[in-house]
Every structure is written in structure tokens, then in C-alpha cells.
Amino acid sequence: MNLAVMDELPLVIVDVMRGGPSTGLPTKTEQTDLLQVLFGRNGESPMPVIAPTSPTDCFQAAFDACKMAVEYMTPVMVLSDAYIANGSGAWRLKMLNDLPTITPPMATAALRDTFSPYKRNEKTLARYWATPGMPGFEHVIGGLEKDCSTGVISNNPENHDRMTRLRAGKVAGIDVPDVPVFGDKDDAELLIVGFGGTFGHLYTAMEALRSKGEKVALAHFKFINPLPQNAARVLLGYPKVVVAEQNLGQFAAYLRMKIDGFAPRQYNEVTGQPLKVSKLTKAFSNIIHQ
């Protein structure tokens, strides 16, 4: 993964989380790889992370990841879990003509003979892609840091700082959809926050509380890195917020790091079992009435 980050290569990696660490609970589900896929590499190595929310969402998540990888010249992580992997659902395969176009930043004839592997699109910061065998576009890439202008190996400290910021800025600037808010989004007393494969459990718990007259909303994240542009506005817009996840608080910690002033309550389980709606509704009701 680090080599793909340094070389800025389009690559999609699928991590299906199960109970760990080590062999752990190989047939059970958890959400314990989140910090690993965000930060588990040496150096500053940012990668986009997409977490499908259901079995029927996996096709779209994989397509989004491929589109992102190719258009931004970056490795992308699809972060699924064993609950989704062992699940199923009926869904209609989209017609290929209805899918968005994937437009790679291919090197054009205008760049011939002046090409450098780290010439970038000014808007997306993606480097231009010259495929092997194109006359006039010969170049070398690899794990060593390269000069941002010439593409040759460079140990220059200012150049390394600039390249590090360019790689980070490219990922941070990827355009992702807003996080959706379900339920009483305008006047909820409690906002439930989750990511990935817990969507069905959290949504059902929210609806159970609303049926009892509680004002509750759900913000469920599919795009983890970069976060949607409306994330801060949503997360800071409710009197009480609880982040529910199948780990000891990894997503809550990540959101605190990314959003100034965000101080959520937490609901954490690491049992290897799917979340139970009855336990969720009891815990969330206690938070509302504290």
C-alpha cells in the first residue's frame, strides 16, 4: 500500500473485518480495522476509505472506489466486515450506460517530450498517467521520493515536504457525497452516528425509539476519508450525539481528531456478534433521559 501511495497508482484494496487480533474470531464480525486502514502505514500515507453499508451497497462502493482510484491516481480502501460478507440482498444491477463515466487523467500529446511523472492536474492534483510504451513519455517511478518537477530521485527536504502535502491535499480534496441524516433530522434530541455495516441495526433502533415518541436521528457514514463536507455541521448540530461502533471507539476518536469541539458519547461492543436492537434502544433511551 505504501508503494502505491508513493507512486500514486490506482489500486483498490478490500478489507473484510473480522474478530481479531491475530487469528482471533475468524468467522465473526467486528469494526476493528478502521484505524489500521486510516493510519497503519509508515510515513504520511493518506488513502481514501469507503465503508459499504449493506450487501446491496457493495457494488456501488466498489464502483466508487474504482472511479476514485483511477481519476485521482491513488490507492483506495473498501472497508467491509464479516456481517456484510456473510449477508445477502436482492438488488438490481445497474445498466452500464447509467453509471457515471470514469475519466482517467491520461497524458495527452501536448505533454510529449516535456512529460514528468508528477505533472499534475491543477484541480484534482492527480498526476497524469502515461502508460508503458508511449513514445516521448518514458519515465521511472518507485518507492524513493521524487522531485515534484523532474521526477528524478530527490532527498531535498523542501521537495519532500511539498510532495507530502500534495499527496495529502489530493486525497483531502476528493469530492464525496454528503452524509445522509435519517429520522428527525431537524429537531432530534439525540443523533446516532455509525459507519459501514451497522446501518441496519442503528436505523432499526432509531425507528423503534421514534415509535415511542423520542426525537432521534441517524447519520451513517459510508465515506470515511475524506469525510463529507457536511460532516462537521451535522455532528455539531444536535444536543446529544452518540457514536455506536463494534470496536472500542476508533471512529469516535477519528471524528474528534477531524472535527474541532466534537465530544460525543460512545456505545461500543467487541463481541464478534451483530449489534442487538434491544440493547441499542435501551442504551440510547438512557442517553436521551440523562
Side-chain angles (χ1 to χ4, degrees), residues 94-198:
K94 293 183 178 180
M95 299 298 293
L96 294 181
N97 291 338
D98 295 334
L99 293 171
T101 301
I102 298 177
T103 308
M106 301 302 298
T108 63
L111 297 173
R112 189 186 305 274
D113 300 322
T114 62
F115 176 75
S116 165
Y118 295 104
K119 279 184 177 291
R120 298 178 184 273
N121 180 291
E122 292 183 359
K123 180 180 179 181
T124 65
L125 298 182
R127 73 177 185 88
Y128 290 107
W129 195 2
T131 57
M134 295 174 63
F137 292 88
E138 294 82 2
H139 63 281
V140 176
I141 58 175
L144 294 171
E145 185 66 278
K146 303 298 192 297
D147 185 272
C148 64
S149 298
T150 65
V152 301
I153 295 171
S154 172
N155 291 318
N156 180 275
E158 287 77 19
N159 175 77
H160 177 58
D161 183 85
R162 182 179 181 189
M163 288 291 278
T164 300
R165 294 177 188 275
L166 283 169
R167 288 188 289 264
K170 177 179 68 174
V171 172
I174 294 174
D175 186 28
V176 301
D178 284 348
V179 59
V181 181
F182 305 92
D184 299 304
K185 59 183 179 180
D186 295 324
D187 58 352
E189 299 174 30
L190 175 68
L191 176 70
I192 304 166
V193 176
F195 77 94
T198 58

